[in-house]
């Protein structure tokens, strides 16, 4: 099934070369014409590097956040609750925030700026902001009121937890705890939807770094809340000594930190929005020019992305019903690493291209196709070695990032196997994002929506029986290692296999559909060369792993990963891979 945008919520998922690419200095001003400058390939590459830099910074703190969560909760019933609490708000934020902004706001607002119709652009931005504010506020209120039904529908496997606790087979009532968490998290969703609006404004003015680095504040707020709560309530940071009540308290404190972090994430972007926006007129009107067209464009996108989110929702429903306590936690941690390259590489390239592709529609077909082809190649150049690296080195990566506190060796194996099942679809998912944006740029939002429906149907058809097949296998049975703790099954791999099969079918459908309008080709031969290059680069990395197997996990992962990445990039440079050129130019600036 289609995984969620991230383990909790997506980091916001873009440009100018030279000085234009830098964040505006305090007190600096820019004329409207500066922001409407004609784009070029170097500008787009610079934008992608800024997006990648912002997302990388955000993702690093996101990984630290996950390490903190693994330290306190591990693969456990309480961690299952954290996963459920963030799922529905995450879905809504993806649809109202990223979906609305990508499909409707950025293309329309970018064109208005390009046409130098700044007053109209300001009224359009203000009306979209007002409508998002009203919608997000209503949804936040409804989430608080209907918290119990939301948990009942999204995690039906939790409904019998009270009886299990009474029988002594479970140590926490996940249903009751999830209801409390939902009431804290839903207001955060509304704030993050508005944060996506700020991202759309800054993207359209080719200001990329701040909106993509802003989630750092969200991650830091969660970690600070957990650390502060542990210090205040327990007087220290030894989670193995915490009882269930203490862990439940920490979970709720973390939810409160997430809301505070959402407020900070939105607030930090506002000064930059005020600096670049030529004009702004707040309203709730649908009569402002462009608003009704944007709303019509949003419908199919919400339907399309909504289908994908429904797929992620079904993952959770199946997981809560058919996986043992802790199964959702393993799924969450596996998805975290799965989404890392998609967010870092896929979103950095696709987000940078959407405003530029929107400016190249009409009779500039050749320029559109050339830009799309370059973007596909650049995306594959970064994603292919990640896929091969995860398959061969994923166990080491999982251990280096998450082996701490309550997260043990068996947890590490289970998350690695889950990651492998999702890794097979990483390249297809990343390319599909780019092709979806190409459809949005040419005004076709219906085709991606229809193909998303196909993706969900296929993923469900594959995943449901696969869960039961993989559930027959256990970590000790597959690895031959005897663990003193509970035995973990591999049922979560069934969900990953379903997601991967569906991702490749969706990619094929997008390519076929786009070819009917444009002469677009995926550079498969180029991708094969990249794959061979990555396999060659893997050999010295495996040699390092064999040479220093007893080193601390983090040291070992840095050494092995550094050799792998260095060898891949070095060979690519020597062999003249043109996909490396934009990044080299950016580093030389």
């Amino acid at each position: 099934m289609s995984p969620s945008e991230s383990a909790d919520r997506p980091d916001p998922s873009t440009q100018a070369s030279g000085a234009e690419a830098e964040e505006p200095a305090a007190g600096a001003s820019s004329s409207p014409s500066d922001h409407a400058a004609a784009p070029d390939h170097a500008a787009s590459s610079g934008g992608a590097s800024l997006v990648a830099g912002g997302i990388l910074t955000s993702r690093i703190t996101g990984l630290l956040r996950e390490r903190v969560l693994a330290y306190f909760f591990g693969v456990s019933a309480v961690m299952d609750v954290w996963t459920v609490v963030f799922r529905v708000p995450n879905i809504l934020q993806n649809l109202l925030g990223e979906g609305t902004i990508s499909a409707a706001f950025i293309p329309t607002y970018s064109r208005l700026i390009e046409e130098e119709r700044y007053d109209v652009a300001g009224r359009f931005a203000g009306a979209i902001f007002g409508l998002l504010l009203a919608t997000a506020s209503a949804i936040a209120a409804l989430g608080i009121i209907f918290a119990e039904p939301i948990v009942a529908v999204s995690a039906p496997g939790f409904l019998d937890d009270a009886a299990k606790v009474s029988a002594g087979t479970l140590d926490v009532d996940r249903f009751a705890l999830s209801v409390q968490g939902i009431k804290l998290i839903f207001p955060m969703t509304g704030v993050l939807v508005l944060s996506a609006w700020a991202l759309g404004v800054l993207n359209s003015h080719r200001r990329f770094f701040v909106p993509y680095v802003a989630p750092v504040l969200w991650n830091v707020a969660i970690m600070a809340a957990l650390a502060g709560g542990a210090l205040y309530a327990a007087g220290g940071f030894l989670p193995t000594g915490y009882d269930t009540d203490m862990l439940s308290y920490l979970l709720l404190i973390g939810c409160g930190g997430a809301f505070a972090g959402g407020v900070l994430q939105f607030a930090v972007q506002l000064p930059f929005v005020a600096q670049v926006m030529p004009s702004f007129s707040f309203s709730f009107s649908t009569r402002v020019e462009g608003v009704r067209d944007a709303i019509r464009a949003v419908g199919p996108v919400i339907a399309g992305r909504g289908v994908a989110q429904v797929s992620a929702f079904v993952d959770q429903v199946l997981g809560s019903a058919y996986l043992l306590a802790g199964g959702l936690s393993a799924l969450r941690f596996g998805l975290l690493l799965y989404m890392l390259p998609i967010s870092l590489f896929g979103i950095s390239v696709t987000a940078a291209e959407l405003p530029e592709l929107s400016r190249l529609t009409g009779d500039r077909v050749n320029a559109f196709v050339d830009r799309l082809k370059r973007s596909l190649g650049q995306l594959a150049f970064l994603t292919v070695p990640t896929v091969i690296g995860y398959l061969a080195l994923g166990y080491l990566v999982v251990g280096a990032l998450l082996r701490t506190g309550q997260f043990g060796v068996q947890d590490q194996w289970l998350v690695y196997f889950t990651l492998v099942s999702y890794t097979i679809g990483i390249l297809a998912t990343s390319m599909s994002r780019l092709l979806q944006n190409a459809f949005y740029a040419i005004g076709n939002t219906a085709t991606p929506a229809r193909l998303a429906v196909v993706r969900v149907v296929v993923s469900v058809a594959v995943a449901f029986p696969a869960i039961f097949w993989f559930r027959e296998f256990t970590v000790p049975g597959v690895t031959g290692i005897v663990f003193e703790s509970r035995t973990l099954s591999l049922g979560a791999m069934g969900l990953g296999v379903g997601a991967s099969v569906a991702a490749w079918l969706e990619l094929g459908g997008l390519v076929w559909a786009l070819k009917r309008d444009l002469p677009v080709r995926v550079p498969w031969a180029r991708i094969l060369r990249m794959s061979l290059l990555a396999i060659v680069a893997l050999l010295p990395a495996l040699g390092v792993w064999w040479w220093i197997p007893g080193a601390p996990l983090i040291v070992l992962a840095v050494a092995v990963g550094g050799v792998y990445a260095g060898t891949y990039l070095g060979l690519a440079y020597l062999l003249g891979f043109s996909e490396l050129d934009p990044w080299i130019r950016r580093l030389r600036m």
Side-chain angles (χ1 to χ4, degrees):
M1 316 216 158
S2 177
S4 65
E5 295 300 308
S6 77
D8 289 333
R9 52 161 292 284
D11 288 333
S13 349
T14 302
Q15 261 60 74
S17 60
E20 280 287 309
E22 301 300 328
E23 289 307 311
S29 63
S30 300
S31 67
S33 60
D34 290 335
H35 304 304
D40 56 24
H41 180 54
S44 178
S45 300
S49 64
L50 283 178
V51 175
I55 292 178
L56 176 61
T57 304
S58 175
R59 283 293 173 176
I60 288 173
T61 57
L63 292 175
L64 291 175
R65 178 201 70 216
E66 293 303 304
R67 186 172 177 86
V68 170
L69 291 172
Y71 178 81
F72 283 115
F73 304 123
V75 174
S76 66
V78 175
M79 195 65 220
D80 286 350
V81 172
W82 184 282
T83 303
V84 168
V85 162
F86 280 86
R87 172 64 68 211
V88 175
N90 176 39
I91 291 173
L92 294 174
Q93 194 271 335
N94 287 335
L95 296 180
L96 296 178
E98 183 186 354
T100 299
I101 298 306
S102 295
F105 181 79
I106 290 180
T108 301
Y109 186 76
S110 295
R111 289 189 185 116
L112 291 172
I113 293 297
E114 182 76 5
E115 296 167 1
E116 301 186 5
R117 301 173 65 193
Y118 305 117
D119 290 340
V120 177
R123 290 195 296 272
F124 172 74
I128 293 296
F129 179 85
L131 294 172
L132 285 175
L133 177 62
T135 304
S137 299
I139 288 178
L142 291 173
I144 294 173
I145 296 171
F146 297 104
E148 288 193 10
I150 289 172
V151 176
V153 171
S154 60
F158 290 4
L159 288 171
D160 297 330
D161 277 10
K164 293 177 183 177
V165 171
S166 298
T169 58
L170 195 64
D171 57 0
V172 61
D173 185 342
R174 294 176 296 178
F175 180 83
L177 187 57
S178 296
V179 169
Q180 296 179 63
I182 283 285
K183 292 180 179 180
L184 292 172
I185 286 302
F186 255 81
M188 176 205 74
T189 304
V191 178
L192 291 177
V193 167
L194 300 180
S195 180
W197 171 86
L199 176 145
V201 171
L202 293 174
N203 279 191
S204 299
H205 288 276
R206 301 190 179 103
R207 298 293 190 235
F208 301 94
F209 185 73
V210 166
Y212 286 93
V213 81
V216 167
L217 298 174
W218 189 80
N219 292 319
V220 170
I222 293 175
M223 291 186 285
L226 290 171
L231 188 62
Y232 172 78
F237 307 108
L238 296 174
T240 53
Y242 296 165
D243 59 17
T244 301
D245 289 340
M246 177 61 190
L247 292 175
S248 299
Y249 164 80
L250 283 180
L251 180 139
L252 297 177
I253 288 293
C255 291
F259 172 72
V263 173
L264 292 173
Q265 178 177 324
F266 175 49
V268 76
Q269 297 180 73
L270 291 181
F272 295 90
V273 170
Q275 190 175 54
V276 302
M277 184 173 282
S279 63
F280 178 78
S281 179
F282 177 80
S283 74
F284 297 101
S285 176
T286 60
R287 296 182 179 181
V288 173
E289 180 180 344
V291 170
R292 291 183 178 179
D293 290 337
I295 292 174
R296 283 192 290 269
V298 164
V301 173
I302 288 182
R305 295 200 177 190
V307 169
Q309 295 302 320
V310 166
S311 181
F313 183 81
V314 172
D315 278 1
Q316 178 172 288
V317 171
L318 293 176
S320 72
Y322 300 111
L323 300 179
L324 300 177
L328 288 176
S329 308
L331 188 65
R332 167 204 172 80
F333 287 126
L335 287 174
L336 164 78
L337 294 170
Y338 165 80
M339 286 305 303
L340 182 61
I342 293 174
S343 297
L344 183 58
F345 306 140
I347 293 180
S348 66
V349 174
T350 59
E353 288 302 307
L354 180 56
E356 307 305 336
L357 290 175
S358 298
R359 293 177 167 95
L360 291 176
T361 56
D363 58 350
R364 303 169 69 180
V365 173
N366 290 334
F368 185 97
V369 172
D370 289 344
R371 181 178 288 278
L372 186 58
K373 181 180 178 180
R374 288 195 300 266
S375 298
L376 285 169
Q378 188 177 3
L379 180 62
F381 179 76
L382 298 170
T383 305
V384 166
T386 304
V387 170
I388 293 175
Y390 271 174
L391 294 175
L393 309 174
Y395 176 76
L396 179 60
V397 174
V398 172
L401 293 176
L402 301 174
R403 265 285 289 284
T404 180
Q406 306 238 44
F407 193 98
V409 175
Q410 187 174 194
D411 302 334
Q412 181 180 350
W413 276 109
L414 177 57
V415 172
Y416 166 62
F417 289 134
T418 304
L419 174 62
V420 166
S421 67
Y422 277 102
T423 294
I424 301 169
I426 287 179
L427 181 62
T429 300
S430 298
M431 287 188 165
S432 292
R433 282 176 175 267
L434 181 57
L435 294 180
Q436 286 167 358
N437 276 6
F439 277 105
Y440 300 156
I442 63 176
N444 182 350
T445 57
T447 297
R450 288 194 295 268
L451 289 172
V453 173
V454 175
R455 174 173 179 161
V456 171
V457 171
V458 172
S459 66
V460 171
V462 174
F464 188 74
I467 290 176
F468 294 97
W469 189 78
F470 279 104
R471 200 173 62 174
E472 298 300 316
F473 299 91
T474 65
V475 173
V478 172
T479 62
I481 303 173
V482 178
F483 299 97
E484 295 181 359
S485 59
R486 69 191 188 283
T487 298
L488 299 175
S489 73
L490 304 184
M493 290 187 68
L495 297 172
V497 170
S500 295
V501 171
W504 282 103
L505 288 176
E506 181 185 40
L507 175 63
L510 288 169
V511 172
W512 178 81
L514 194 58
K515 280 184 176 179
R516 291 182 298 178
D517 299 318
L518 299 168
V520 175
R521 295 178 58 187
V522 177
W524 294 117
R526 196 75 172 168
I527 291 173
L528 177 60
R529 290 187 61 196
M530 295 172 188
S531 301
L532 295 175
L533 184 66
I535 292 173
V536 172
L538 189 64
L539 299 179
L542 292 173
V544 172
W545 193 354
W546 175 82
W547 183 45
I548 52 172
L553 278 174
I554 295 180
V555 174
L556 184 59
V558 170
V560 173
V563 170
Y564 176 54
T567 304
Y568 177 80
L569 294 174
L571 290 175
Y573 178 79
L574 293 175
L575 295 175
F577 274 74
S578 59
E579 291 81 5
L580 191 59
D581 294 342
W583 304 95
I584 293 176
R585 286 197 300 268
R586 182 64 192 165
L587 290 174
R588 289 174 176 172
M589 288 181 180

